[in-house]
Amino acid sequence: MTTQTVKDQAYAKSIRIFHSIFALCMISQLAIGELMDVPEVEDGHEASISWVTPAVAHESHGIPQVGPVEETLGFEVHEYLGLFIASLLVIRILLAMTSLPGANWRHLLPWLFAPGRSQLSREIKLQMSGWKSMKLAPPEDGEAVARSVHGFILLASITMAVTGTLLYFGWSITAPQTMWVELVAEVHEFTVVVLEILLGAHILAVILHQRQGHHIIDRIKPSA
Ligand code: HEM
């Protein structure tokens, strides 16, 4: 791809700055989320620190308060970084209402429209065999698939942010969680898995494009 083509397809400066901050925060947040201890009051009123992962049913309501259990540093960083990421996403949603290059929501959700859906199925038919041998078509041959992956990353991140914010206000360190908090926590955790798969695909695609000389990092780096 020529330098001019790369420039033509570049993202608006605001999206490029957003991407750097967002990518850094998200990678840190996912790592912290995996490593931190979650303060939780177990059934039976025992205050303890435990992993949130097991879907323990805390069905008992109206339990007298105990504790509070101590919040770990990891958990506190996770909470505040999560609220910061939620604000970044509000900014990205506002940018999606503009017509800045690469910003608009139609760009990110091509599958919502008939022309976008046909473009997607054309790209999948033409490029599938290349994907099987880890070869990606240059961006000028169609980007509906890549844009859809970016759109799903943002949708999954928004789901994380909404559920995370609900948990910020609803998570109890003095009593077992209520049913709705347990449910929100499960959606939050399931979305982590979806997001990790999408990010794995995103980063693998970036590496493959770069190795094939498509210079896509040039269009997203803030200094471009
Ligand atoms: C090492 C890390 C990363 C690299 C090298 C990278 C690289 C890139 C590149 C080159 C593009 C432009 C693709 C194109 O040509 O259209 C892009 C777009 C994008 N990336 Fe990443 N990325 C990274 C991490 C992340 C992370 C962690 C996230 C989110 C959790 C993310 C979300 C996105 C999104 C949403 C877009 C589309 C731009 C937008 O609409 O905001 N990336 N990335």
Side-chain angles (χ1 to χ4, degrees):
M1 198 197 314
T2 64
T3 313
Q4 191 53 47
T5 320
V6 167
K7 269 197 190 143
D8 288 346
Q9 296 167 333
Y11 287 87
K13 181 95 174 168
S14 45
I15 299 291
R16 288 184 268 129
I17 294 171
F18 165 86
H19 180 267
S20 297
I21 302 172
F22 184 63
L24 186 67
C25 291
M26 287 297 281
I27 291 172
S28 314
Q29 183 70 329
L30 288 170
I32 294 167
E34 294 295 342
L35 297 173
M36 71 186 182
D37 287 328
V38 178
E40 195 170 14
V41 178
E42 301 290 353
D43 269 345
H45 310 197
E46 261 178 47
S48 72
I49 306 248
S50 72
W51 293 100
V52 75
T53 321
V56 217
H58 297 304
E59 275 146 14
S60 39
H61 296 285
I63 289 172
Q65 292 213 331
V66 291
V69 286
E70 203 185 322
E71 291 197 11
T72 58
L73 178 66
F75 186 72
E76 284 194 59
V77 173
H78 186 74
E79 283 182 313
Y80 292 111
L81 186 55
L83 293 177
F84 178 69
I85 291 173
S87 336
L88 283 179
L89 283 164
V90 171
I91 295 174
R92 184 63 185 88
I93 291 170
L94 293 175
L95 287 170
M97 316 275 177
T98 70
S99 53
L100 289 168
N104 193 264
W105 62 277
R106 288 168 189 272
H107 176 101
L108 291 162
L109 311 173
W111 43 271
L112 278 182
F113 309 95
R117 283 194 291 274
S118 20
Q119 167 74 15
L120 264 176
S121 72
R122 248 193 328 272
E123 269 181 42
I124 293 170
K125 270 185 212 139
L126 284 172
Q127 298 178 13
M128 178 71 92
S129 56
W131 297 343
K132 286 183 190 152
S133 50
M134 301 292 247
K135 285 208 172 68
L136 301 184
E140 59 266 32
D141 283 2
E143 302 191 66
V145 173
R147 287 178 189 178
S148 302
V149 173
H150 299 157
F152 282 125
I153 290 176
L154 287 173
L155 287 178
S157 306
I158 291 169
T159 309
M160 297 284 301
V162 170
T163 51
T165 307
L166 290 173
L167 290 173
Y168 177 78
F169 291 109
W171 192 260
S172 172
I173 55 167
T174 53
Q177 311 310 321
T178 58
M179 286 266 280
W180 79 263
V181 171
E182 283 292 344
L183 185 70
V184 173
E186 291 205 13
V187 176
H188 193 71
E189 284 164 40
F190 174 75
T191 318
V192 172
V193 179
V194 174
L195 198 53
E196 284 174 348
I197 294 170
L198 288 168
L199 275 184
H202 178 60
I203 291 169
L204 178 65
V206 173
I207 294 169
L208 293 176
H209 273 301
Q210 288 297 116
R211 286 176 52 153
Q212 288 172 230
H214 300 155
H215 306 296
I216 58 164
I217 288 186
D218 288 352
R219 22 191 245 178
I220 199 80
K221 63 181 183 195
S223 58

